[in-house]
């Protein structure tokens, strides 16, 4: 009888020991896979991406985010196959910016349209604004290959001259004049460590209305995504995905220097990095209208973003990705 009890205890001990060893092996494999699959973002530029064309067709070099600012505001507009939607957004933005400069001559700005390897005439459409307003106000950065929205925003941001940098979508879904709201949000932050702060446009106040218009399945995907964002990466921000964000130059340099995700979930990683560096982030309600022609495919894009959220957390947790100080990005 005692022998049987002893053998049972021994078997249970062995089972626990083997389970522990197996768990450690699985954990080790996960860490290895995360490190091997954690591709380093290519920060280098193709030779063609180092220059922009002036109104008369001459090539000039882009500035660097690491240089001192020479303008008040830079607006980065990521664009992929946006020849139809871009003119509406640019007309609204340029009208606002020109009026503001006329009222306040000390206000200086630039708009950088980043053509993310488009297959249509996005670059040609954007160049019309360079010819109309001049290359000091509108510059076109044409990427040799498609990087994804996050990659396009990063490349444009790294080319900015402004003290403040606004990220604005090419579809014009957010009323451009709402820049004043995100500016007020930035000003409301009393303590800006090393002058770093971020003001995020938010559609959270429109959530009830959007739920009423969405299908049950899309509503489930939306809430599932919000939960994953909260659980794995960012807390305290209700809408991480609104494409209307204002950065101080210092905050942009700090966050974009560590950015790895180049597709749809890049906003989440940016805010995750900001919170890790304890950069103040404020959320501000903005006007937003859904515009036809979105590149976001509901099911597959949400699935990809959900996967990216899990990987963001795990890769930072295991050391596959690291937060970095400003590094050479040109």
């Amino acid at each position: 009888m005692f022998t049987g009890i002893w053998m049972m205890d021994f078997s249970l001990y062995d089972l626990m020991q083997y389970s522990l060893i197996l768990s450690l092996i699985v954990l080790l494999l996960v860490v290895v896979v995360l490190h091997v699959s954690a591709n380093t973002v290519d920060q280098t530029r193709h030779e063609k991406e180092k220059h922009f064309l002036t109104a008369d067709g001459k090539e000039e070099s882009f500035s660097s985010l690491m240089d001192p600012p020479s303008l008040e505001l830079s607006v980065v507009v990521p664009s992929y196959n946006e020849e139809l939607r871009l003119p509406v957004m640019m007309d609204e933005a340029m009208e606002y910016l020109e009026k503001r400069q006329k009222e306040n001559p000390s206000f200086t700005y630039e708009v950088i349209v980043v053509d993310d390897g488009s297959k249509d005439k996005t670059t040609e459409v954007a160049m019309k604004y360079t010819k109309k307003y001049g290359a000091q106000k509108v510059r076109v950065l044409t990427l040799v290959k498609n990087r994804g929205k996050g990659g396009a925003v990063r490349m444009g941001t790294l080319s900015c001259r402004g003290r403040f940098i606004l990220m604005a979508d090419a579809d014009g879904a957010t009323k451009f004049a709402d820049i004043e709201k995100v500016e007020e949000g930035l000003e409301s932050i009393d303590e800006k460590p090393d002058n770093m702060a971020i003001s995020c446009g938010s559609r959270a106040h429109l959530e009830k209305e959007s739920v009423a218009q969405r299908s049950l399945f899309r509503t489930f995907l939306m809430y599932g995504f919000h939960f994953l964002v909260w659980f794995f990466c960012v807390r305290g921000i209700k809408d991480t995905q609104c494409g209307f964000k204002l950065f101080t130059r210092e905050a942009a340099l700090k966050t974009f220097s560590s950015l790895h995700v180049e597709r749809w979930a890049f906003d989440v990683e940016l805010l995750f990095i900001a919170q890790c560096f304890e950069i103040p982030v404020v959320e501000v309600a903005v006007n937003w209208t859904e515009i036809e022609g979105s590149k976001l495919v509901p099911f597959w894009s949400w699935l990809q973003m959900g996967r990216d959220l899990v990987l963001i957390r795990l890769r930072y947790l295991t050391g596959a990705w690291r937060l970095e100080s400003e590094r050479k990005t040109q």
Side-chain angles (χ1 to χ4, degrees), residues 280-321:
V281 180
V282 67
E283 193 171 13
V284 181
V286 294
N287 294 299
W288 186 85
T289 306
E290 188 164 355
I291 307 296
E292 291 185 4
S294 172
K295 308 299 185 299
L296 197 67
V297 182
F299 178 74
W300 294 111
S301 295
W302 287 86
L303 195 66
Q304 182 186 46
M305 285 192 289
R307 179 204 65 186
D308 287 344
L309 294 180
V310 176
L311 292 178
I312 288 170
R313 186 60 177 170
L314 289 178
R315 281 172 175 159
Y316 277 111
L317 194 64
T318 60
W321 287 349

Side-chain angles (χ1 to χ4, degrees), residues 67-117:
D67 297 333
S70 57
L71 299 174
E72 182 71 12
L73 175 71
S74 293
V75 181
V76 177
V77 186
S79 308
Y80 177 68
N81 292 341
E82 293 288 4
E83 65 175 346
L84 298 179
R85 301 195 298 177
L86 183 62
V88 177
M89 180 271 172
M90 285 295 291
D91 288 342
E92 181 187 354
M94 295 306 296
E95 181 182 357
Y96 171 87
L97 292 167
E98 285 291 285
K99 181 181 178 181
R100 182 165 169 175
Q101 188 175 64
K102 187 175 181 180
E103 294 174 350
N104 179 16
S106 65
F107 172 74
T108 53
Y109 74 90
E110 68 175 347
V111 178
I112 299 179
V113 179
V114 186
D115 182 347
D116 189 22

Side-chain angles (χ1 to χ4, degrees), residues 214-228:
R214 281 191 174 101
S215 67
L216 182 63
F217 180 63
R218 290 191 67 180
T219 299
F220 172 77
L221 288 177
M222 179 186 72
Y223 282 121
F225 178 76
H226 288 173
F227 173 76
L228 290 177

Side-chain angles (χ1 to χ4, degrees), residues 11 18 39 47 66 68 78 100 103 125 137 141 179 184 189 204 211 228 247-249 261 264 269 272 276 281 297 309:
S11 298
Y18 292 144
N39 298 324
E47 192 62 33
M66 300 185 75
R100 182 165 169 175
E103 294 174 350
V125 170
K137 291 185 175 180
L141 169 55
I179 183 177
E184 289 173 3
I189 300 174
V211 167
L228 290 177
F247 301 76
T248 61
R249 188 177 186 86
V261 176
W264 296 107
E269 190 191 1
F272 173 78
C276 286
V281 180
V297 182
L309 294 180

Side-chain angles (χ1 to χ4, degrees), residues 97-284:
L97 292 167
E98 285 291 285
K99 181 181 178 181
R100 182 165 169 175
Q101 188 175 64
K102 187 175 181 180
E103 294 174 350
N104 179 16
S106 65
F107 172 74
T108 53
Y109 74 90
E110 68 175 347
V111 178
I112 299 179
V113 179
V114 186
D115 182 347
D116 189 22
S118 298
K119 298 177 182 178
D120 65 359
K121 297 181 179 180
T122 295
T123 289
E124 289 87 336
V125 170
M127 280 300 300
K128 291 180 181 179
Y129 292 89
T130 299
K131 293 175 181 177
K132 182 176 180 179
Y133 296 98
Q136 286 303 308
K137 291 185 175 180
V138 181
R139 297 180 175 183
V140 182
L141 169 55
T142 303
L143 302 184
V144 173
K145 63 178 182 179
N146 176 263
R147 288 177 176 263
K149 184 181 178 182
V153 172
R154 179 172 53 80
M155 294 294 282
T157 300
L158 296 178
S159 307
C160 285
R161 295 175 287 162
R163 288 179 56 235
F164 300 97
I165 299 169
L166 177 72
M167 181 179 83
D169 286 344
D171 61 2
T174 302
K175 188 176 180 181
F176 194 83
D178 279 2
I179 183 177
E180 295 175 12
K181 294 182 178 180
V182 290
E183 284 177 328
E184 289 173 3
L186 210 58
E187 291 172 5
S188 71
I189 300 174
D190 295 325
E191 295 185 9
K192 301 181 180 71
D194 297 323
N195 198 39
M196 294 189 294
I198 302 171
S199 181
C200 299
S202 174
R203 305 158 297 179
H205 61 294
L206 303 172
E207 191 169 286
K208 290 183 179 179
E209 180 182 340
S210 67
V211 167
Q213 296 175 355
R214 281 191 174 101
S215 67
L216 182 63
F217 180 63
R218 290 191 67 180
T219 299
F220 172 77
L221 288 177
M222 179 186 72
Y223 282 121
F225 178 76
H226 288 173
F227 173 76
L228 290 177
V229 169
W230 175 85
F231 187 78
F232 285 106
C233 299
V234 178
R235 298 186 179 183
I237 302 296
K238 295 179 180 178
D239 182 9
T240 58
Q241 301 308 109
C242 182
F244 204 72
K245 294 181 174 67
L246 183 67
F247 301 76
T248 61
R249 188 177 186 86
E250 293 80 4
L253 181 58
K254 194 74 169 178
T255 52
F256 280 94
S257 291
S258 287
L259 185 68
H260 299 85
V261 176
E262 292 196 306
R263 296 291 169 179
W264 296 107
F266 83 98
D267 302 79
V268 178
E269 190 191 1
L270 267 181
L271 294 174
F272 173 78
I273 292 168
Q275 292 189 341
C276 286
F277 281 127
E278 297 184 349
I279 298 173
V281 180
V282 67
E283 193 171 13
V284 181

